[in-house]
Short mmCIF file of all heavy atoms in Angstrom, two decimals:
data_model
loop_
_atom_site.label_atom_id
_atom_site.label_comp_id
_atom_site.label_asym_id
_atom_site.label_seq_id
_atom_site.Cartn_x
_atom_site.Cartn_y
_atom_site.Cartn_z
N MET A 12 -37.76 -51.15 61.41
CA MET A 12 -37.90 -50.33 62.62
C MET A 12 -36.91 -49.17 62.60
O MET A 12 -37.22 -48.05 63.03
CB MET A 12 -37.70 -51.20 63.86
CG MET A 12 -38.83 -52.19 64.10
SD MET A 12 -38.56 -53.23 65.55
CE MET A 12 -38.65 -51.97 66.85
N ALA A 13 -35.69 -49.41 62.10
CA ALA A 13 -34.68 -48.35 62.05
C ALA A 13 -35.12 -47.23 61.12
O ALA A 13 -35.01 -46.04 61.44
CB ALA A 13 -33.34 -48.93 61.59
N PHE A 14 -35.67 -47.61 59.94
CA PHE A 14 -36.15 -46.59 59.02
C PHE A 14 -37.37 -45.88 59.55
O PHE A 14 -37.56 -44.67 59.32
CB PHE A 14 -36.44 -47.22 57.65
CG PHE A 14 -35.25 -47.28 56.75
CD1 PHE A 14 -34.49 -48.43 56.68
CD2 PHE A 14 -34.86 -46.18 56.00
CE1 PHE A 14 -33.37 -48.49 55.86
CE2 PHE A 14 -33.76 -46.25 55.18
CZ PHE A 14 -33.00 -47.40 55.11
N ALA A 15 -38.20 -46.59 60.27
CA ALA A 15 -39.38 -45.96 60.87
C ALA A 15 -38.96 -44.93 61.91
O ALA A 15 -39.54 -43.84 62.00
CB ALA A 15 -40.27 -47.02 61.51
N ALA A 16 -37.92 -45.26 62.70
CA ALA A 16 -37.42 -44.32 63.70
C ALA A 16 -36.85 -43.08 63.04
O ALA A 16 -37.05 -41.95 63.49
CB ALA A 16 -36.36 -45.00 64.57
N LEU A 17 -36.13 -43.28 61.91
CA LEU A 17 -35.57 -42.14 61.19
C LEU A 17 -36.68 -41.27 60.63
O LEU A 17 -36.66 -40.04 60.77
CB LEU A 17 -34.67 -42.65 60.06
CG LEU A 17 -34.08 -41.57 59.13
CD1 LEU A 17 -33.23 -40.61 59.94
CD2 LEU A 17 -33.27 -42.21 58.02
N ALA A 18 -37.70 -41.87 60.02
CA ALA A 18 -38.80 -41.10 59.44
C ALA A 18 -39.54 -40.30 60.51
O ALA A 18 -39.91 -39.15 60.31
CB ALA A 18 -39.77 -42.03 58.72
N ALA A 19 -39.72 -40.91 61.70
CA ALA A 19 -40.44 -40.23 62.77
C ALA A 19 -39.66 -39.04 63.30
O ALA A 19 -40.23 -38.08 63.81
CB ALA A 19 -40.71 -41.22 63.92
N SER A 20 -38.32 -39.10 63.16
CA SER A 20 -37.48 -38.03 63.72
C SER A 20 -37.29 -36.87 62.74
O SER A 20 -36.76 -35.83 63.11
CB SER A 20 -36.11 -38.58 64.11
OG SER A 20 -35.38 -38.98 62.96
N LEU A 21 -37.72 -37.03 61.47
CA LEU A 21 -37.51 -35.97 60.50
C LEU A 21 -38.36 -34.75 60.84
O LEU A 21 -39.51 -34.87 61.26
CB LEU A 21 -37.89 -36.45 59.09
CG LEU A 21 -37.02 -37.57 58.50
CD1 LEU A 21 -37.50 -37.89 57.09
CD2 LEU A 21 -35.56 -37.16 58.49
N PRO A 22 -37.80 -33.54 60.63
CA PRO A 22 -38.58 -32.33 60.85
C PRO A 22 -39.77 -32.28 59.90
O PRO A 22 -39.72 -32.77 58.78
CB PRO A 22 -37.57 -31.21 60.52
CG PRO A 22 -36.23 -31.84 60.63
CD PRO A 22 -36.42 -33.27 60.24
N LYS A 23 -40.85 -31.70 60.37
CA LYS A 23 -42.03 -31.56 59.53
C LYS A 23 -41.80 -30.49 58.48
O LYS A 23 -41.09 -29.52 58.70
CB LYS A 23 -43.25 -31.19 60.38
CG LYS A 23 -43.65 -32.31 61.35
CD LYS A 23 -44.86 -31.91 62.15
CE LYS A 23 -45.27 -33.04 63.10
NZ LYS A 23 -46.45 -32.67 63.92
N VAL A 24 -42.40 -30.67 57.31
CA VAL A 24 -42.26 -29.72 56.21
C VAL A 24 -43.52 -28.89 56.11
O VAL A 24 -44.63 -29.42 56.11
CB VAL A 24 -42.01 -30.47 54.88
CG1 VAL A 24 -41.87 -29.49 53.74
CG2 VAL A 24 -40.78 -31.35 55.00
N HIS A 25 -43.34 -27.58 56.02
CA HIS A 25 -44.48 -26.67 55.90
C HIS A 25 -44.31 -25.84 54.64
O HIS A 25 -43.23 -25.33 54.37
CB HIS A 25 -44.55 -25.73 57.11
CG HIS A 25 -44.59 -26.45 58.42
ND1 HIS A 25 -45.73 -26.97 58.96
CD2 HIS A 25 -43.60 -26.74 59.31
CE1 HIS A 25 -45.47 -27.54 60.12
NE2 HIS A 25 -44.18 -27.43 60.35
N ALA A 26 -45.36 -25.70 53.86
CA ALA A 26 -45.29 -24.83 52.68
C ALA A 26 -45.18 -23.39 53.14
O ALA A 26 -45.83 -22.98 54.08
CB ALA A 26 -46.55 -25.02 51.82
N ALA A 27 -44.34 -22.61 52.47
CA ALA A 27 -44.13 -21.21 52.86
C ALA A 27 -43.83 -20.39 51.61
O ALA A 27 -42.69 -20.33 51.17
CB ALA A 27 -43.00 -21.08 53.87
N GLY A 28 -44.86 -19.74 51.03
CA GLY A 28 -44.63 -18.88 49.89
C GLY A 28 -44.04 -19.60 48.70
O GLY A 28 -43.17 -19.08 48.02
N GLY A 29 -44.49 -20.80 48.41
CA GLY A 29 -43.95 -21.56 47.29
C GLY A 29 -42.73 -22.37 47.66
O GLY A 29 -42.23 -23.14 46.86
N LEU A 30 -42.22 -22.20 48.86
CA LEU A 30 -41.06 -22.93 49.35
C LEU A 30 -41.49 -23.96 50.37
O LEU A 30 -42.62 -23.95 50.86
CB LEU A 30 -40.04 -21.98 49.99
CG LEU A 30 -39.63 -20.75 49.18
CD1 LEU A 30 -38.69 -19.89 49.99
CD2 LEU A 30 -38.98 -21.16 47.88
N ALA A 31 -40.59 -24.85 50.72
CA ALA A 31 -40.80 -25.73 51.87
C ALA A 31 -39.91 -25.22 52.98
O ALA A 31 -38.78 -24.80 52.75
CB ALA A 31 -40.44 -27.17 51.53
N ARG A 32 -40.43 -25.22 54.19
CA ARG A 32 -39.66 -24.75 55.35
C ARG A 32 -39.55 -25.90 56.35
O ARG A 32 -40.54 -26.50 56.73
CB ARG A 32 -40.35 -23.55 56.00
CG ARG A 32 -39.52 -22.89 57.12
CD ARG A 32 -40.32 -21.79 57.80
NE ARG A 32 -40.71 -20.75 56.86
CZ ARG A 32 -39.96 -19.69 56.57
NH1 ARG A 32 -38.78 -19.54 57.15
NH2 ARG A 32 -40.39 -18.78 55.72
N LEU A 33 -38.31 -26.19 56.76
CA LEU A 33 -38.05 -27.28 57.68
C LEU A 33 -37.51 -26.73 58.99
O LEU A 33 -36.58 -25.90 58.98
CB LEU A 33 -37.02 -28.26 57.12
CG LEU A 33 -37.43 -29.22 56.00
CD1 LEU A 33 -37.61 -28.48 54.69
CD2 LEU A 33 -36.36 -30.29 55.84
N ALA A 34 -38.09 -27.17 60.09
CA ALA A 34 -37.50 -26.88 61.40
C ALA A 34 -36.24 -27.71 61.53
O ALA A 34 -36.21 -28.89 61.20
CB ALA A 34 -38.49 -27.21 62.51
N LEU A 35 -35.16 -27.10 62.02
CA LEU A 35 -33.87 -27.79 62.08
C LEU A 35 -33.82 -28.80 63.21
O LEU A 35 -33.22 -29.87 63.07
CB LEU A 35 -32.76 -26.75 62.25
CG LEU A 35 -31.39 -27.10 61.67
CD1 LEU A 35 -31.49 -27.38 60.19
CD2 LEU A 35 -30.42 -25.96 61.93
N TRP A 36 -34.45 -28.48 64.31
CA TRP A 36 -34.43 -29.33 65.50
C TRP A 36 -35.85 -29.74 65.86
O TRP A 36 -36.79 -28.95 65.67
CB TRP A 36 -33.78 -28.58 66.68
CG TRP A 36 -32.41 -28.05 66.37
CD1 TRP A 36 -32.09 -26.79 65.95
CD2 TRP A 36 -31.17 -28.76 66.46
NE1 TRP A 36 -30.74 -26.67 65.76
CE2 TRP A 36 -30.13 -27.86 66.08
CE3 TRP A 36 -30.83 -30.07 66.84
CZ2 TRP A 36 -28.79 -28.23 66.05
CZ3 TRP A 36 -29.48 -30.44 66.80
CH2 TRP A 36 -28.49 -29.54 66.42
N PRO A 37 -36.06 -30.94 66.39
CA PRO A 37 -37.42 -31.38 66.74
C PRO A 37 -38.02 -30.62 67.92
O PRO A 37 -39.23 -30.58 68.07
CB PRO A 37 -37.24 -32.86 67.08
CG PRO A 37 -35.80 -33.00 67.45
CD PRO A 37 -35.05 -32.00 66.62
N GLY A 38 -37.19 -30.02 68.74
CA GLY A 38 -37.65 -29.19 69.87
C GLY A 38 -36.74 -27.98 69.99
O GLY A 38 -36.30 -27.43 68.99
N ARG A 39 -36.46 -27.58 71.22
CA ARG A 39 -35.52 -26.49 71.43
C ARG A 39 -34.12 -26.90 70.98
O ARG A 39 -33.72 -28.05 71.14
CB ARG A 39 -35.48 -26.10 72.91
CG ARG A 39 -36.73 -25.40 73.40
CD ARG A 39 -36.82 -23.97 72.91
NE ARG A 39 -35.78 -23.11 73.46
CZ ARG A 39 -35.57 -21.86 73.07
NH1 ARG A 39 -36.34 -21.32 72.14
NH2 ARG A 39 -34.62 -21.13 73.63
N PRO A 40 -33.36 -25.99 70.39
CA PRO A 40 -32.00 -26.32 69.98
C PRO A 40 -31.14 -26.72 71.19
O PRO A 40 -31.48 -26.40 72.32
CB PRO A 40 -31.49 -25.02 69.36
CG PRO A 40 -32.71 -24.26 68.98
CD PRO A 40 -33.73 -24.62 70.03
N PRO A 41 -30.04 -27.41 70.95
CA PRO A 41 -29.20 -27.87 72.06
C PRO A 41 -28.58 -26.72 72.85
O PRO A 41 -28.37 -25.63 72.32
CB PRO A 41 -28.12 -28.71 71.37
CG PRO A 41 -28.09 -28.22 69.97
CD PRO A 41 -29.50 -27.83 69.65
N GLY A 42 -28.32 -26.98 74.11
CA GLY A 42 -27.58 -26.02 74.93
C GLY A 42 -28.42 -25.08 75.76
O GLY A 42 -28.05 -24.71 76.86
N GLY A 43 -29.57 -24.68 75.24
CA GLY A 43 -30.44 -23.77 75.99
C GLY A 43 -30.05 -22.31 75.82
O GLY A 43 -29.04 -21.96 75.22
N GLY A 44 -30.88 -21.46 76.37
CA GLY A 44 -30.67 -20.02 76.27
C GLY A 44 -31.24 -19.47 74.98
O GLY A 44 -32.14 -20.05 74.37
N GLY A 45 -30.71 -18.31 74.56
CA GLY A 45 -31.12 -17.71 73.31
C GLY A 45 -32.30 -16.77 73.43
O GLY A 45 -32.90 -16.61 74.49
N PRO A 46 -32.65 -16.11 72.31
CA PRO A 46 -33.72 -15.11 72.32
C PRO A 46 -35.10 -15.75 72.25
O PRO A 46 -35.23 -16.95 72.00
CB PRO A 46 -33.43 -14.30 71.05
CG PRO A 46 -32.85 -15.33 70.12
CD PRO A 46 -32.03 -16.25 70.99
N GLU A 47 -36.10 -14.94 72.45
CA GLU A 47 -37.50 -15.37 72.31
C GLU A 47 -38.16 -14.56 71.20
O GLU A 47 -37.68 -13.49 70.81
CB GLU A 47 -38.26 -15.17 73.62
CG GLU A 47 -37.70 -15.95 74.80
CD GLU A 47 -37.92 -17.44 74.69
OE1 GLU A 47 -38.83 -17.85 73.91
OE2 GLU A 47 -37.21 -18.21 75.36
N GLY A 48 -39.28 -15.07 70.71
CA GLY A 48 -40.07 -14.31 69.76
C GLY A 48 -39.68 -14.54 68.32
O GLY A 48 -38.88 -15.43 67.98
N ALA A 49 -40.25 -13.70 67.45
CA ALA A 49 -40.09 -13.85 66.01
C ALA A 49 -38.78 -13.23 65.52
O ALA A 49 -38.13 -12.45 66.23
CB ALA A 49 -41.27 -13.19 65.29
N LEU A 50 -38.43 -13.60 64.30
CA LEU A 50 -37.27 -12.99 63.65
C LEU A 50 -37.44 -11.48 63.56
O LEU A 50 -38.56 -10.97 63.39
CB LEU A 50 -37.09 -13.54 62.24
CG LEU A 50 -36.62 -14.99 62.06
CD1 LEU A 50 -36.66 -15.35 60.58
CD2 LEU A 50 -35.23 -15.19 62.63
N VAL A 51 -36.34 -10.76 63.64
CA VAL A 51 -36.32 -9.32 63.43
C VAL A 51 -35.59 -9.05 62.12
O VAL A 51 -34.47 -9.54 61.91
CB VAL A 51 -35.61 -8.60 64.59
CG1 VAL A 51 -35.48 -7.11 64.29
CG2 VAL A 51 -36.37 -8.83 65.90
N GLN A 52 -36.23 -8.30 61.23
CA GLN A 52 -35.63 -8.01 59.93
C GLN A 52 -35.31 -6.53 59.83
O GLN A 52 -36.13 -5.67 60.15
CB GLN A 52 -36.59 -8.40 58.80
CG GLN A 52 -35.99 -8.30 57.40
CD GLN A 52 -36.94 -8.84 56.34
OE1 GLN A 52 -37.88 -8.16 55.94
NE2 GLN A 52 -36.70 -10.06 55.90
N ASP A 53 -34.07 -6.21 59.38
CA ASP A 53 -33.69 -4.80 59.23
C ASP A 53 -34.02 -4.31 57.83
O ASP A 53 -34.59 -5.04 57.01
CB ASP A 53 -32.21 -4.59 59.59
CG ASP A 53 -31.25 -5.27 58.61
OD1 ASP A 53 -31.66 -5.63 57.50
OD2 ASP A 53 -30.06 -5.43 58.97
N ASP A 54 -33.68 -3.06 57.53
CA ASP A 54 -34.06 -2.45 56.26
C ASP A 54 -33.42 -3.13 55.06
O ASP A 54 -33.92 -3.03 53.93
CB ASP A 54 -33.68 -0.96 56.26
CG ASP A 54 -34.53 -0.14 57.23
OD1 ASP A 54 -35.62 -0.63 57.60
OD2 ASP A 54 -34.10 0.97 57.61
N SER A 55 -32.31 -3.83 55.28
CA SER A 55 -31.63 -4.51 54.17
C SER A 55 -32.18 -5.91 53.92
O SER A 55 -31.78 -6.57 52.96
CB SER A 55 -30.13 -4.62 54.47
OG SER A 55 -29.88 -5.58 55.49
N GLY A 56 -33.08 -6.36 54.80
CA GLY A 56 -33.61 -7.71 54.67
C GLY A 56 -32.83 -8.75 55.44
O GLY A 56 -33.12 -9.94 55.35
N ALA A 57 -31.84 -8.30 56.21
CA ALA A 57 -31.08 -9.21 57.06
C ALA A 57 -31.87 -9.49 58.34
O ALA A 57 -32.60 -8.62 58.84
CB ALA A 57 -29.72 -8.62 57.41
#
């Protein structure tokens, strides 16, 4: 049961351009607040 609980809590893995992408938190990150929407990328790729 303990291992089942751990497996259920793991972030889902999604294929992304040959990579795997993991969500860090199962829902909203702790604390609240923060921006909305998609990532913003500048000319340098940051």
Side-chain angles (χ1 to χ4, degrees):
M12 290 179 66
F14 273 96
L17 176 60
S20 67
L21 294 182
K23 294 181 179 179
V24 180
H25 305 277
L30 310 177
R32 187 185 300 272
L33 286 72
L35 209 58
W36 305 95
R39 289 286 294 173
E47 299 290 340
L50 289 174
V51 174
Q52 187 175 79
D53 66 17
D54 291 340
S55 72

